């Protein structure tokens, strides 16, 4: 199916046609790609036999396909004056619509034109990724969401880039079918224009398309995240092998790995992309580590949402920051979105004048309704501060309780951290260390190993079983210093969460 045929048969096409027939005077096409929005409008204008006019700030209003424009419409005020005087029933597409929306006086004039157009046939349309409409415009506007480019769109783009560049120079493709699918998956989240630039540069630079070019796409996505400034592109260096125990959680994730590898097959089988998991448990038990390992294991980009980046002193900015964060995550989908210590971002209560509650409402709606393949991994240490809405099925696929490691797991944690720091675990009595570390979390065991290394480096001995036992003996784990809180967590999890261990 051609791109035009796909758009003509899309839900967005049907919605747009219906809204125009229903006399909506202002229609916002929700997309980052103005060119795709314009293509859709051209199809609808043909169907409805309505003329399509295009206005770009700094250029005159012109009929689509014509070179000459309407005199005196180069600036926003001239364009609005023309709309006020015109009696032509038509569709108008406004490029870079922010010039109209960000000025209060122009927004009011635009609202007047919208009211007038509702009495006839036609509409003013604009493409916006994140619509921010004034009070005057919001009640009169309808929104149509354009679907992002899918795998077939990117496949056709890749074929066209190879064909066009191949006419100018000799190129070779070294990608296997599996590598090609991985490249196409990584392109998701980019606009077709962005993807075309990246692919063209990749093949022009060395005359070939190789596995290394997949990294070009990954770096481009990282640039998108850094440019927006609300999410962090987190380096995922751990794997599931770096996590001791958590057998229940690992088994759950392993069953869903195939969906990530074959989303089309999963959809045909009746399965949708998993929403995510909430990890509740003792601090230091490996919840954050697991989030990073999921991204590595599933070969997906990992985005970290830092609550401190969301909140802003200016009214409305925090909600706007959250929407931007969600939009970036959806653009980079499929991906893993990691939110550490969720209760700090959306704690119960009204201490902040209701700000966190408003952001919470937006977040819950996004968790429930999003369609983009974003797998959310959220962690919480203090479940008493967590709003109960998070625990309802449909927001997360499952709630797991991460308890302290048992004795075999503690031995494995010692082995992992000793080997990571260049020590031979087989030379130590791991069983004795695991027994002595009863009640320790994984993070506390790691710090005991680090402390032993500091002691040995200062000339007070070597890293052996005796030194590690001494470090353990000098540490009071959280399970003892905060025994009541740990007991309360376990009591809460009984019957409410699935054991991750």
């Amino acid at each position: 199916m051609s791109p035009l045929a796909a758009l003509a048969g899309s839900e967005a096409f049907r919605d747009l046609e219906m809204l125009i027939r229903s006399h909506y005077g202002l229609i916002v096409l929700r997309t980052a790609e103005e060119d795709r929005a314009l293509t859709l409008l051209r199809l609808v204008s043909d169907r409805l036999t309505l003329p399509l006019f295009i206005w770009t700030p700094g250029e005159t209003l012109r009929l689509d396909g014509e070179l000459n424009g309407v005199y005196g419409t180069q600036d926003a005020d001239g364009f609005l004056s023309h709309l006020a005087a015109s009696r032509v029933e038509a569709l108008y597409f406004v490029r870079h619509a922010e010039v109209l929306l960000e000025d209060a006086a122009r927004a009011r004039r635009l609202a007047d034109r919208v009211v007038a157009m509702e009495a006839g046939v036609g509409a003013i349309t604009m493409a916006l990724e994140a619509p921010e409409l004034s009070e005057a415009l919001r009640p009169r506007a309808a929104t149509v969401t354009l679907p992002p480019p899918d795998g077939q769109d990117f496949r056709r783009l890749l074929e066209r880039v190879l064909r066009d560049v191949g006419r100018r120079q000799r190129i070779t493709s070294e990608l296997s079918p599996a590598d090609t699918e991985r490249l196409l998956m990584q392109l998701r989240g980019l606009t077709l224009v962005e993807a075309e630039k990246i692919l063209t540069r990749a093949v022009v630079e060395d005359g070939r398309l190789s596995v290394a070019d997949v990294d070009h796409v990954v770096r481009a996505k990282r640039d998108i995240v850094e440019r927006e400034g609300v999410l962090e592109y987190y380096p995922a260096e751990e794997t599931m092998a770096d996590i001791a125990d958590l057998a229940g959680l690992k088994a759950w994730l392993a069953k869903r790995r195939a969906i990530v590898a074959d989303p089309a097959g999963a959809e045909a089988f009746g399965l949708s992309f998993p929403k995510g998991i909430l990890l509740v448990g003792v601090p230091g038990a490996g919840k954050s580590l697991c989030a990073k390992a999921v991204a590595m294991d599933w070969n997906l980009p990992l985005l970290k949402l830092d609550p401190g980046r969301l909140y802003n002193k200016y009214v409305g900015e925090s909600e706007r920051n959250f929407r931007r964060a969600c939009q970036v995550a959806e653009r980079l989908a499929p991906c893993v979105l990691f939110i550490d210590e969720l209760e700090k971002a959306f704690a119960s209560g009204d201490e902040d004048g209701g700000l966190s509650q408003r952001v919470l409402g937006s977040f819950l709606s996004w968790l429930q309704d999003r369609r983009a393949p974003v797998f959310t991994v959220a962690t919480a240490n203090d479940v008493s501060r967590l709003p109960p809405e998070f625990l309802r099925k449909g927001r997360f696929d499952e709630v797991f309780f991460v308890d302290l490691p048992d004795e075999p797991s503690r031995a494995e944690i010692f082995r992992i951290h000793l080997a990571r720091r260049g020590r031979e675990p087989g030379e130590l009595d791991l069983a004795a260390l695991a027994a002595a570390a009863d009640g320790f979390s994984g993070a506390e065991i790691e710090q005991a190993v680090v402390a032993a290394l500091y002691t040995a480096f200062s000339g007070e001995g070597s890293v052996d079983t005796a030194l590690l036992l001494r470090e353990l003996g000098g540490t009071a784990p959280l399970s003892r210093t905060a025994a009541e809180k740990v007991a309360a967590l376990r009591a809460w999890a009984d019957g409410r969460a699935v054991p991750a261990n």
Side-chain angles (χ1 to χ4, degrees):
M1 182 183 295
S2 70
L4 283 178
L7 270 179
S10 68
E11 183 179 351
F13 178 88
R14 294 189 293 272
D15 289 347
L16 180 58
E17 180 183 358
M18 182 272 294
L19 290 171
I20 294 170
R21 291 184 183 276
S22 301
H23 300 280
Y24 276 85
L26 176 63
I27 302 174
V28 176
L29 302 173
R30 191 166 185 173
T31 178
E33 300 182 89
E34 285 193 337
D35 289 339
R36 291 186 77 224
L38 183 55
T39 299
L40 181 65
L41 279 167
R42 284 168 173 153
L43 292 171
V44 173
S45 71
D46 285 344
R47 169 72 70 88
L48 299 177
T49 62
L50 282 172
L52 174 62
F53 288 88
I54 302 171
W55 180 73
T56 304
E59 300 179 12
T60 55
L61 176 71
R62 61 180 180 81
L63 182 66
D64 189 30
E66 297 291 331
L67 295 177
N68 297 322
V70 179
Y71 178 77
T73 58
Q74 289 94 334
D75 58 37
D77 294 324
F79 168 62
L80 290 170
S81 296
H82 173 82
L83 285 180
S86 176
R87 298 295 180 266
V88 176
E89 293 187 335
L91 295 177
Y92 294 88
F93 180 59
V94 180
R95 288 187 178 272
H96 311 303
E98 293 82 3
V99 71
L100 298 180
L101 303 179
E102 293 175 355
D103 182 275
R106 288 171 180 167
R108 285 193 297 271
R109 290 184 66 189
L110 179 62
D112 292 339
R113 294 303 91 223
V114 170
V115 172
M117 294 198 73
E118 290 172 348
V121 179
I124 300 168
T125 64
M126 54 188 65
L128 298 169
E129 186 175 11
E132 295 285 346
L133 302 180
S134 67
E135 292 293 335
L137 288 169
R138 195 177 303 124
R140 317 206 75 89
T143 302
V144 175
T145 300
L146 265 68
D150 59 19
Q152 289 303 315
D153 292 324
F154 288 120
R155 190 181 301 277
R156 286 188 291 265
L157 174 64
L158 176 60
E159 292 170 352
R160 179 168 62 80
V161 168
L162 292 175
R163 182 178 63 251
D164 292 349
V165 176
R167 291 170 179 163
R168 301 190 299 271
Q169 68 181 78
R170 182 177 178 179
I171 59 173
T172 58
S173 177
E174 301 173 2
L175 297 180
S176 66
D179 293 332
T180 300
E181 292 303 318
R182 180 168 168 252
L183 174 64
L184 295 175
M185 184 183 75
Q186 290 293 348
L187 287 172
R188 293 187 61 171
L190 300 173
T191 66
L192 290 176
V193 172
E194 290 169 338
E196 181 176 11
K197 290 179 179 178
I198 293 168
L199 292 173
T200 301
R201 178 179 177 180
V203 296
V204 167
E205 278 184 341
D206 55 9
R208 62 194 180 100
L209 191 65
S210 65
V211 175
D213 292 321
V214 178
D215 294 333
H216 287 286
V217 180
V218 174
R219 286 195 293 272
K221 288 188 169 184
R222 183 183 294 113
D223 291 341
I224 291 173
V225 174
E226 293 175 350
R227 185 170 65 239
E228 293 296 331
V230 290
L231 293 174
E232 180 181 357
Y233 198 102
Y234 212 78
E237 299 171 348
E238 291 82 4
T239 68
M240 285 300 176
D242 295 316
I243 303 176
D245 196 20
L246 301 185
L249 177 59
K250 288 180 179 179
W252 189 92
L253 292 169
K255 290 180 181 178
R256 286 150 181 81
R257 187 189 302 121
I259 296 178
V260 179
D262 184 16
E267 185 176 359
F269 198 73
L271 292 171
S272 59
F273 195 87
K275 288 179 177 293
I277 53 177
L278 174 60
L279 304 176
V280 178
V282 181
K287 301 185 296 298
S288 302
L289 178 65
C290 187
K292 303 169 191 175
V294 171
M296 179 65 77
D297 194 55
W298 286 5
N299 194 29
L300 294 178
L302 176 67
L303 308 178
K304 183 178 180 182
L305 175 60
D306 181 357
R309 297 189 181 191
L310 281 183
Y311 293 100
N312 191 291
K313 64 180 180 180
Y314 296 108
V315 176
E317 280 300 312
S318 299
E319 295 92 327
R320 189 174 294 111
N321 285 342
F322 175 74
R323 288 193 295 271
R324 286 169 54 210
C326 292
Q327 288 157 7
V328 171
E330 290 180 355
R331 282 200 67 189
L332 297 189
C335 64
V336 176
L337 178 63
F338 172 39
I339 309 174
D340 199 16
E341 298 188 67
L342 189 68
E343 70 274 21
K344 292 184 178 179
F346 307 108
S348 299
D350 247 345
E351 297 84 356
D352 56 4
L355 174 58
S356 61
Q357 294 301 298
R358 294 195 300 273
V359 178
L360 168 65
S362 299
F363 185 43
L364 291 174
S365 297
W366 181 77
L367 283 175
Q368 184 76 33
D369 301 331
R370 74 184 184 277
R371 296 182 181 180
V374 179
F375 186 78
T376 305
V377 179
T379 71
N381 293 329
D382 188 355
V383 72
S384 66
R385 298 181 60 201
L386 200 61
E389 296 91 334
F390 277 119
L391 305 178
R392 207 193 83 186
K393 287 288 187 181
R395 270 61 186 266
F396 293 98
D397 295 314
E398 196 58 85
V399 179
F400 286 94
F401 177 66
V402 184
D403 207 343
L404 294 171
D406 57 16
E407 189 166 331
S409 298
R410 294 195 296 273
E412 178 64 12
I413 293 171
F414 272 110
R415 187 198 66 77
I416 290 172
H417 288 298
L418 287 166
R420 184 178 291 174
R421 290 164 176 81
R423 299 302 186 274
E424 178 51 59
E427 297 177 356
L428 285 81
D429 188 345
L430 297 183
L433 292 172
D438 185 24
F440 279 64
S441 68
E444 289 167 337
I445 291 174
E446 180 182 11
Q447 288 308 306
V449 172
V450 172
L453 286 169
Y454 275 115
T455 300
F457 188 73
S458 66
E460 298 181 30
S462 59
V463 182
D464 55 16
T465 302
L467 178 56
L468 281 165
L469 288 173
R470 190 162 72 245
E471 295 293 348
L472 291 171
T475 302
L478 189 68
S479 62
R480 291 203 292 269
T481 59
E484 296 81 5
K485 289 186 177 181
V486 173
L489 268 174
R490 287 171 172 161
W492 176 90
D494 187 20
R496 292 188 177 93
V498 174
N501 301 70

